[in-house]
Amino acid sequence: MDRFQYLALMAGCLLLTLPLEFWLAARVYRRPRRMLLAVVPVALLFIAWDVFAIRRDHWTFSPDYTTGLVFPGGIPLEEVVFFLVIPICGLLTYEAVGTILRGRSRRKASDA
């Protein structure tokens, strides 16, 4: 079970932020092209950085806590998933906070 901890953590992050899409109208998943344009370039940059660091032996990943699925360059599946999931969770949070703040400013304007 330890081998799936990293992936389980990433799934937990997605599950915890998923309600923001619906309850606070984050509109991240409803605009997939925009989401991909925000996430993919950054993910590619950090994946390249990781591959470089792995090849230079700056860091490694424990086989005890990863599934063993490794992409070319030695980067494990879990690390690629991390670079996709965490920015998506950040976008969901950012958009949800924006929705709340826009709602407050509209209420203040109507009260004045």
Side-chain angles (χ1 to χ4, degrees):
M1 184 59 187
D2 286 343
R3 291 180 11 169
F4 296 99
Q5 284 184 6
Y6 202 136
L7 289 177
L9 180 62
M10 294 301 101
C13 289
L14 285 175
L15 286 173
L16 286 172
T17 56
L18 181 63
L20 299 175
E21 178 75 7
F22 305 105
W23 294 335
L24 294 175
R27 298 179 333 269
V28 171
Y29 293 120
R30 292 178 223 176
R31 298 181 288 183
R33 185 173 187 272
R34 201 168 178 185
M35 178 182 67
L36 290 173
L37 286 171
V39 172
V40 170
V42 175
L44 290 175
L45 176 70
F46 280 103
I47 288 168
W49 182 357
D50 254 18
V51 168
F52 177 77
I54 290 166
R55 288 189 178 222
R56 295 193 44 109
D57 289 325
H58 288 287
W59 62 72
T60 61
F61 297 89
S62 171
D64 295 338
Y65 297 103
T66 56
T67 60
L69 297 171
V70 179
F71 289 101
I75 190 164
L77 167 69
E78 293 81 0
E79 190 72 350
V80 173
V81 169
F82 174 85
F83 289 131
L84 298 172
V85 167
I86 297 305
I88 290 171
C89 294
L91 283 171
L92 282 162
T93 304
Y94 177 81
E95 291 294 333
V97 168
T99 299
I100 291 169
L101 293 177
R102 284 188 297 276
R104 283 187 181 171
S105 65
R106 275 188 229 124
R107 273 181 276 170
K108 283 183 181 180
S110 66
D111 290 344

